[in-house]
């Protein structure tokens, strides 16, 4: 009985892998066709990990905050224990 379940499970996994490979090939073909159309109008489909962020964030500058006069630091308040 356990041997029969293992065989059934193996066949199911193999069928799933074959189906997944077929879907991957179909997807690649669709992306190729999409890229052909997009290049005609000046665009290109690229993998998300290769494209980078769509919107680049501004880097924070080091130094003083906007609106604060140069050369003046914030004052610290010392607490005195009585």
């Amino acid at each position: 009985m356990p041997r029969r379940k293992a065989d059934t499970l193996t066949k199911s996994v193999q069928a799933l892998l074959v189906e997944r490979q077929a879907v991957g090939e179909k997807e690649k073909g669709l992306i190729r066709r999409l890229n052909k159309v997009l290049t005609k109008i000046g665009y290109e489909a690229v993998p998300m990990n290769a494209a980078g962020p769509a919107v680049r964030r501004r880097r924070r500058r080091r130094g003083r905050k906007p609106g604060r006069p140069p050369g003046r630091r914030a004052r610290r308040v010392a607490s005195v224990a009585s």
Side-chain angles (χ1 to χ4, degrees):
M1 191 72 155
R3 176 79 176 159
R4 193 169 169 192
K5 286 184 180 182
D7 289 342
T8 305
L9 181 62
T10 303
K11 287 179 183 179
S12 296
V13 170
Q14 286 175 345
L16 184 63
L17 288 174
V18 168
E19 182 181 342
R20 192 168 176 183
Q21 288 173 346
V23 167
E25 290 300 318
K26 186 173 182 178
E27 186 178 275
K28 286 179 186 177
L30 290 171
I31 295 294
R32 261 188 252 116
R33 288 175 55 195
L34 176 64
N35 238 348
K36 283 182 183 179
V37 173
L38 289 175
T39 52
K40 290 179 182 178
I41 59 173
Y43 291 92
E44 182 181 10
V46 294
M48 287 184 65
N49 56 359
V55 177
R56 303 225 182 242
R57 293 186 178 175
R58 294 176 67 186
R59 295 180 81 189
R60 288 187 60 178
R61 287 183 171 177
R62 296 180 75 186
R64 67 179 179 87
K65 293 182 182 178
R68 178 169 277 182
R72 186 170 180 189
R73 293 187 179 180
R75 294 182 186 175
R76 293 188 181 186
V77 177
S79 60
V80 180
S82 9

